[in-house]
Amino acid sequence: MADTASLKEILFRNSAEQCKVCEAIPFEAVGHRFEYEKFKMLHEVIEEADLEDEYQEWRRAYGYV
């Protein structure tokens, strides 16, 4: 069974990678809204778990900012 740190790492990495996907697709392009919705769902999990500050620190530490 995965520990909490591993689960947070997976969640943070997936959210950060999905953010990069959204940034790479022009806003008006087909598929942008779908990719943004996937990012939004991941980010809502982070917010509901009250991990936003830790997520932002993780993003800076791993070069996603």
Side-chain angles (χ1 to χ4, degrees):
M1 182 173 227
D3 63 2
T4 303
S6 296
L7 293 174
K8 285 195 293 190
E9 173 76 19
I10 292 166
L11 176 61
F12 291 173
R13 188 167 306 282
N14 283 331
S15 181
E17 288 296 326
Q18 189 61 35
C19 183
K20 284 174 55 176
V21 168
C22 290
E23 291 172 348
I25 300 173
F27 182 76
E28 63 280 347
V30 173
H32 181 271
R33 181 165 176 85
F34 176 73
E35 295 298 335
Y36 178 74
E37 288 297 321
K38 288 181 1 184
F39 166 73
K40 196 166 102 174
M41 288 189 314
L42 288 166
H43 199 74
E44 285 174 359
V45 171
I46 291 169
E47 289 175 341
E48 288 175 13
D50 198 27
L51 295 171
E52 181 65 31
D53 292 339
E54 190 174 340
Y55 173 61
Q56 293 305 327
E57 288 176 22
W58 182 92
R59 285 180 47 137
R60 283 189 289 279
Y62 288 91
Y64 283 96
V65 178

